Amino acid sequence: MELTVLGSGSAMPVPDRVQAGYLLDDGDRSLLVDCGSGVLQRLAGTEAGYEGVSTVLLTHHHLDHVAALLPLLKARWLAGEEHLEVVGPAGTKSLVDGLLGVHDYLDGRIDLAVREVSASRSFAAGGFDVTARETRHSMDGFAYRFSPPSSDAPAAEGPLALSGDTEAFAGMARFADGTEVLVHDCSFPDDVDVSNHPRPTSLGESLAGAEIGTLLLSHLYPHTGGREREMERGVREAGFDGEVRTATDGLRLSL
Ligand SMILES: [Zn+2]
Ligand SMILES: [Zn+2]
C-alpha cells in the first residue's frame, strides 16, 4: 500500500503545507484520512483524485481536519460521482448534519453515508481494516492503525499508524508498536510552550523502545519552519531509535 501525505500542516497556514490529509492507496482501493483546507487541491494531483475517494475517515472534528469535507462532497457531485461515506468518532453525524444545515443546497445531492466508530472493535473503511485508539488532545478523537485490503493481517498488526492530534504518551507507542510507518503529530519545536500537542523531546521519550520503522513528523506549525533537522535529531536524542523524517506535502511512502 502507498501512503501519500496530502497535508502536513496545521491550523496556521504556511505556503508549502496545507492542513491535515493523508491518502492510503492499495491499487484499486483508496481511503482519505482527514480533510483539512487545501487537501482537495493536493488530492486533485494524485492518481486517485477526488473522484477516486469515496470514503473519508476523520481523526477528530477540529476545523483543520474537516474544513474541506463539504467541498469534497460538492466536487464529487459536480464530477458525477454518486457516493460519499464519512467515518469518524462520536459526533461525526451531528457535524455532517450541521454542515449540511448551513449549506442546505448540497443536502441530497449524492448518496451520503455517515458512520461513527469506536475504539472497542476494528472496522473496515474504504476496504482497509482499521483499529482505533483514543488520543489525548483538546477534543476527543482517534489514532488509527491500518491493514491494507490485500493483507490477511488484522489492523492491530497493520504496517501503518496515524496518530491524529495528540500529546505523546506510552499508550500510543504500544498502539503503533510493530508498524513500518507511524505518522505522528509533532506540532512544535521544544522551545514552544504548548499542551495538547507533542514536541520532539516528549515524542522521542514516549516512543523509546517501540519497534517502529519510520517515524514521520507531521501536523507542523509555522514555528517548525527551518528547524526540521533539529526536531528530527531531538526525537532521536530523546530515545526513539528508528528512522525519523519530516513529512512534506506530496511525500509518498510504499509499505
Ligand atoms: Zn486538533
Ligand atoms: Zn489539527
Side-chain angles (χ1 to χ4, degrees):
M1 95 171 137
E2 298 260 348
L3 165 70
T4 304
V5 177
L6 299 171
S8 56
S10 62
M12 292 175 69
V14 290
D16 54 340
R17 299 185 190 279
V18 306
Q19 295 182 348
Y22 303 91
L23 179 66
L24 277 56
D25 210 294
D26 187 51
D28 44 20
R29 305 302 300 263
S30 297
L31 173 66
L32 177 63
V33 183
D34 283 343
C35 195
S37 175
V39 164
L40 289 198
Q41 284 79 357
R42 299 283 194 252
L43 192 55
T46 67
E47 201 173 312
Y50 54 81
E51 301 93 334
V53 169
S54 58
T55 305
V56 186
L57 176 64
L58 302 176
T59 59
H60 65 304
H61 299 148
H62 274 153
L63 191 56
D64 52 317
H65 299 253
V66 305
L69 205 49
L70 282 206
L72 173 62
L73 184 152
K74 180 165 182 176
R76 286 181 60 78
W77 165 47
L78 294 175
E81 298 294 335
E82 294 177 347
H83 306 283
L84 182 66
E85 183 182 32
V86 182
V87 185
T92 298
K93 187 153 190 1
S94 63
L95 171 80
V96 173
D97 286 347
L99 290 170
L100 287 172
V102 174
H103 305 281
D104 58 354
Y105 75 102
L106 291 173
D107 200 0
R109 296 296 186 182
I110 65 173
D111 176 15
L112 177 66
V114 182
R115 182 156 52 103
E116 295 184 353
V117 293
S118 79
S120 59
R121 49 186 296 194
S122 61
F123 57 92
F128 291 76
D129 195 23
V130 189
T131 188
R133 79 144 292 146
E134 291 87 359
T135 54
R136 292 186 185 172
H137 189 48
S138 49
M139 176 185 278
D140 287 347
F142 289 137
Y144 295 114
R145 186 162 175 170
F146 302 89
S147 207
S150 56
S151 167
D152 293 331
E157 296 169 15
L160 172 68
L162 297 175
S163 75
D165 286 10
T166 184
E167 290 180 14
F169 64 107
M172 190 63 67
R174 284 194 295 275
F175 182 68
D177 198 46
T179 51
E180 286 177 46
V181 176
L182 166 63
V183 182
H184 204 295
D185 177 354
C186 194
S187 291
F188 295 97
D190 277 327
D191 55 12
V192 176
D193 189 21
V194 68
S195 55
N196 298 309
H197 294 287
R199 297 171 294 174
T201 296
S202 61
L203 183 56
E205 285 172 354
S206 74
L207 295 176
E211 281 207 28
I212 293 161
T214 298
L215 172 65
L216 201 57
L217 310 180
S218 195
H219 199 265
L220 300 159
Y221 271 78
H223 312 62
T224 66
R227 301 181 64 180
E228 295 84 357
R229 300 296 90 76
E230 170 198 333
M231 289 177 62
E232 292 165 1
R233 204 163 49 242
V235 172
R236 280 191 294 266
E237 286 172 0
F240 177 70
D241 58 9
E243 183 189 18
V244 185
R245 296 178 65 177
T246 301
T248 53
D249 289 15
L251 176 69
R252 285 166 65 93
L253 294 177
S254 291
L255 296 96

